Amino acid sequence: MEKIYFVGAGPGDKELITLKGYKLLSKADIVIYAGSLVNPELLDYCRKGCLLYDSATMSLEEIIEVMSEGASQDKLVVRLQTGDISIYGSIREQAEELKKLNIEYESIAGVSSFLAAAASLGIEYTVPEISQSLIITRMEGRTPVPELEKLELFAKHKTSMAIFLSVQGIEKVVEKLLEGGYSESTPVAVVYKATWRDEKTVSGSLSDIVAKVKSEGIKKTALILVGDFLGDEYNYSKLYDKSFSHEYRKATID
């Protein structure tokens, strides 16, 4: 019996799938892809005769049935997920059902949209002495979040933050961030469909980002990035500082 492969498709650009993911996709007999999120251009990599299933219209039971039938016939089955499967990928429930059926699976890492968004903006989340931590989270909606993971509680840290699945409630997001401790002048960037052909970026501060996002008509498929790492203040790291010694280089004094 063949194993199931969960493959991170990358953030959108068809060239940002990993080489390992591409090889599996090009050899697959069956591909179940997240049609509402995955760039359809990635399916160009599939060989002729590959069976394609759009999971946007499928239930968990239907997905598992396709996987099970494919594995029992020694077919190479790829579950193609957006970004990296470890972040908001709904993989755990599929994996648990496969375990019940004694079907093995393997996960192939991908490139998350929060990494793609940073690349598009040309920024670093961890600026020395400004921020050395990144919080990846979402605002509660139809899907709740644990009580200790409320947006306003995370905001108390005033560190770098990447907020998924929340742009449709941008007003509430800003309200919660201000309540938690960010100032109105805190820089914000909203990146719509990072690395896609129709990518769009809106930059501002907590005081004006709501109006800017609404004027651009962004209502989904966007990341909200918040924190002083987006600002003009920065410090150089010690890594390449000639006056700083480490294992591979001795300090030099002018």
Side-chain angles (χ1 to χ4, degrees), residues 70 120 123-124 155 170 204 219 224 238 241:
S120 292
I123 54 88
E124 179 181 357
I170 186 68
K219 298 178 180 178
I224 304 170
K238 298 296 185 184
D241 184 343

Side-chain angles (χ1 to χ4, degrees), residues 10-13 16 112-118 120 191-200 221-223:
D13 184 336
L16 284 177
S112 174
S113 59
F114 83 89
L115 300 170
S120 292
V191 183
Y192 170 77
K193 296 181 77 171
T195 77
W196 290 62
R197 294 183 182 181
D198 55 345
E199 175 186 312
K200 187 183 297 184
T221 327
L223 267 175

Side-chain angles (χ1 to χ4, degrees), residues 51-213:
L51 298 178
L52 303 175
Y53 294 86
D54 182 354
S55 64
T57 62
M58 301 169 72
S59 66
L60 175 62
E61 290 76 15
E62 290 170 330
I63 293 170
I64 298 302
E65 182 179 359
V66 171
M67 289 180 173
S68 177
E69 288 183 2
S72 67
Q73 297 171 24
D74 288 325
K75 302 290 187 181
L76 177 55
V77 181
V78 168
R79 176 62 166 122
L80 191 64
Q81 299 278 145
T82 186
D84 179 76
I85 56 179
S86 67
I87 300 177
Y88 304 116
S90 301
I91 290 301
R92 177 67 181 269
E93 60 204 51
Q94 297 171 60
E96 292 300 331
E97 291 302 313
L98 291 176
K99 288 178 185 177
K100 294 175 185 177
L101 298 172
N102 294 315
I103 298 175
E104 293 185 15
Y105 64 89
E106 183 177 340
S107 297
I108 309 301
V111 178
S112 174
S113 59
F114 83 89
L115 300 170
S120 292
L121 292 169
I123 54 88
E124 179 181 357
Y125 289 115
T126 52
V127 180
E129 299 178 57
I130 300 297
S131 173
Q132 290 292 284
S133 302
L134 171 64
I135 294 174
I136 298 172
T137 190
R138 60 168 296 172
M139 188 176 70
E140 62 183 340
R142 294 178 63 187
T143 302
V145 300
E147 191 64 32
L148 292 178
E149 294 183 15
K150 300 287 188 182
L151 205 54
E152 60 270 29
L153 296 182
F154 280 149
K156 293 181 183 297
H157 296 283
K158 299 182 184 178
T159 189
S160 307
M161 195 178 291
I163 305 172
F164 282 70
L165 305 168
S166 304
V167 75
Q168 72 284 354
I170 186 68
E171 301 101 324
K172 195 71 172 178
V173 169
V174 169
E175 178 186 322
K176 295 293 184 182
L177 293 174
L178 291 173
E179 180 184 336
Y182 284 110
S183 69
E184 289 192 347
S185 62
T186 302
V188 184
V190 173
V191 183
Y192 170 77
K193 296 181 77 171
T195 77
W196 290 62
R197 294 183 182 181
D198 55 345
E199 175 186 312
K200 187 183 297 184
T201 299
V202 179
S203 297
S205 66
L206 287 177
S207 64
D208 61 14
I209 197 64
V210 171
K212 289 184 175 182
V213 167

Side-chain angles (χ1 to χ4, degrees), residues 13-66:
D13 184 336
K14 65 181 292 187
E15 295 184 347
L16 284 177
I17 189 172
T18 64
L19 182 57
K20 190 169 187 177
Y22 160 75
K23 287 180 177 179
L24 284 168
L25 190 60
S26 64
K27 294 187 296 184
D29 299 303
I30 298 171
V31 173
I32 308 169
Y33 66 100
S36 61
L37 297 169
V38 168
N39 186 347
E41 292 180 8
L42 282 155
L43 302 179
D44 294 342
Y45 294 141
C46 296
R47 65 177 182 79
K48 186 177 180 179
C50 177
L51 298 178
L52 303 175
Y53 294 86
D54 182 354
S55 64
T57 62
M58 301 169 72
S59 66
L60 175 62
E61 290 76 15
E62 290 170 330
I63 293 170
I64 298 302
E65 182 179 359
V66 171

